[in-house]
Amino acid sequence: MQQGLASFYHQRFHGRRTASGERYNRHALTAAHPTLPFGTEIVVRSLRTGREVVVRVTDRGPHLARRIVDLSHAAAVALGIQRHGVSEVQLWALPAHPP
């Protein structure tokens, strides 16, 4: 489990390619993580709201100190943190699904 700050992508990135080659979709439940493999599903829990969301890693980042994940706009809304910009979260990876 990791704990730190989460931020979310600005809408200007909607439609741009991510590090995985996918296009960022602000309406999808996705995230950027510095080291987890692309496609990994992670649970993100807001320590502010207590809400949780499952997102899929599609990009690399964040690139600022203490930030551990960048979330899509949809994920930030699901957590109730979209108005805060940055919020304290915990996250952990779900087990991989067999092929």
Side-chain angles (χ1 to χ4, degrees), residues 95-99:
H97 299 289

Side-chain angles (χ1 to χ4, degrees), residues 48-98:
R48 180 186 300 257
T49 66
R51 295 186 198 171
E52 294 181 0
V53 67
V54 176
V55 296
R56 188 172 48 85
V57 176
T58 61
D59 203 4
R60 291 290 170 235
H63 304 288
L64 298 172
R66 292 193 57 227
R67 294 194 190 177
I68 61 171
V69 67
D70 276 335
L71 302 169
S72 66
H73 183 263
V77 169
L79 291 173
I81 63 171
Q82 75 278 9
R83 294 192 177 180
H84 303 288
V86 177
S87 191
E88 188 84 13
V89 298
Q90 292 177 329
L91 64 84
W92 59 93
L94 292 174
H97 299 289

